[in-house]
């Protein structure tokens, strides 16, 4: 359908670092289907890739409001908040452990070796930081979500994006 085609085009544009075009495509998908939680999540990432974090936050909140159990929408909201200095307190108020790093020139997909946005230094350093974070906060597995049996703390995320 047209909405899905627009969303796939937006993803492609974002991966090619054409953020403005991606924002326009995702916005058009939302015009056609204003209750599409995935389209709002994609719009969040489009805005974030253009460093428009307040708009990213609004789009992520809309995605979550449409489908609260959508994990990718929750993740998009987490990252949109983490990228705004004045919103980091909100993460702490929800007892979220996080570490935030930005890599200059590294956009969406900088970990993916098969994409034009791959950045070797950022990816290598990022993976080291992700694994160290997991080791500190999740330990060495046990539960299906990587936590020790009986551990009550919710699984935390790390924001390693630009």
């Amino acid at each position: 359908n047209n909405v899905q085609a627009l969303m796939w085009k937006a993803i492609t544009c974002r991966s090619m670092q054409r953020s403005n075009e991606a924002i326009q495509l995702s916005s058009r998908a939302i015009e056609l289907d204003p209750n599409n939680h995935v389209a709002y999540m994609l719009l969040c990432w489009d805005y974030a890739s253009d460093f428009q974090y307040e708009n990213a936050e609004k789009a992520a909140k809309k995605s979550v409001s449409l489908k609260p159990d959508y994990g990718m929408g929750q993740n998009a909201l987490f990252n949109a908040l983490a990228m705004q200095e004045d919103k980091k307190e909100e993460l702490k108020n929800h007892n979220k452990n996080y570490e935030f790093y930005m890599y200059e020139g590294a956009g969406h997909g900088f970990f993916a070796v098969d994409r034009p946005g791959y950045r070797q230094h950022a990816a290598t350093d990022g993976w080291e930081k992700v694994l160290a974070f997991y080791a500190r906060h999740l330990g060495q597995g046990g539960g299906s979500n990587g936590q020790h049996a009986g551990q009550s703390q919710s699984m935390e995320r790390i924001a390693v994006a630009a």
Side-chain angles (χ1 to χ4, degrees), residues 10-74:
I11 291 167
T12 301
C13 287
R14 187 174 358 103
S15 73
M16 297 169 62
Q17 299 180 353
R18 292 172 20 201
S19 302
N20 288 333
E21 191 174 345
I23 291 167
Q24 290 173 352
L25 290 163
S26 292
S27 296
R28 179 71 181 124
I30 290 167
E31 287 174 18
L32 294 174
D33 185 358
N35 293 315
N36 189 316
H37 63 283
V38 176
Y40 280 101
M41 183 269 305
L42 292 176
L43 182 60
C44 168
W45 290 120
D46 298 337
Y47 278 129
S49 70
D50 198 40
F51 307 102
Q52 296 183 45
Y53 301 123
E54 288 182 12
N55 287 334
E57 177 187 352
K58 290 176 190 172
K61 284 183 174 178
K62 182 64 175 180
S63 176
V64 169
S65 75
L66 290 169
K67 189 162 174 59
D69 62 339
Y70 182 54
M72 291 181 69
Q74 295 284 351

Side-chain angles (χ1 to χ4, degrees), residues 89-161:
E89 194 62 37
E90 189 172 333
L91 296 171
K92 291 177 188 173
N93 290 340
H94 291 286
N95 297 318
K96 299 294 180 188
N97 295 319
Y98 72 93
E99 295 173 12
F100 179 75
Y101 303 96
M102 262 180 98
Y103 296 99
E104 192 68 36
H108 180 79
F110 72 90
F111 277 113
V113 296
D114 60 335
R115 292 178 136 187
Y118 176 69
R119 300 293 179 265
Q120 184 177 6
H121 171 74
T124 302
D125 187 65
W127 273 120
E128 289 175 9
K129 286 176 170 55
V130 166
L131 295 174
F133 180 89
Y134 285 170
R136 281 192 309 278
H137 295 284
L138 300 178
Q140 294 298 317
S144 63
N145 64 358
Q147 294 178 316
H148 294 287
Q151 190 175 7
S152 63
Q153 182 180 7
S154 65
M155 188 145 119
E156 310 299 344
R157 299 183 193 124
I158 186 168
V160 186

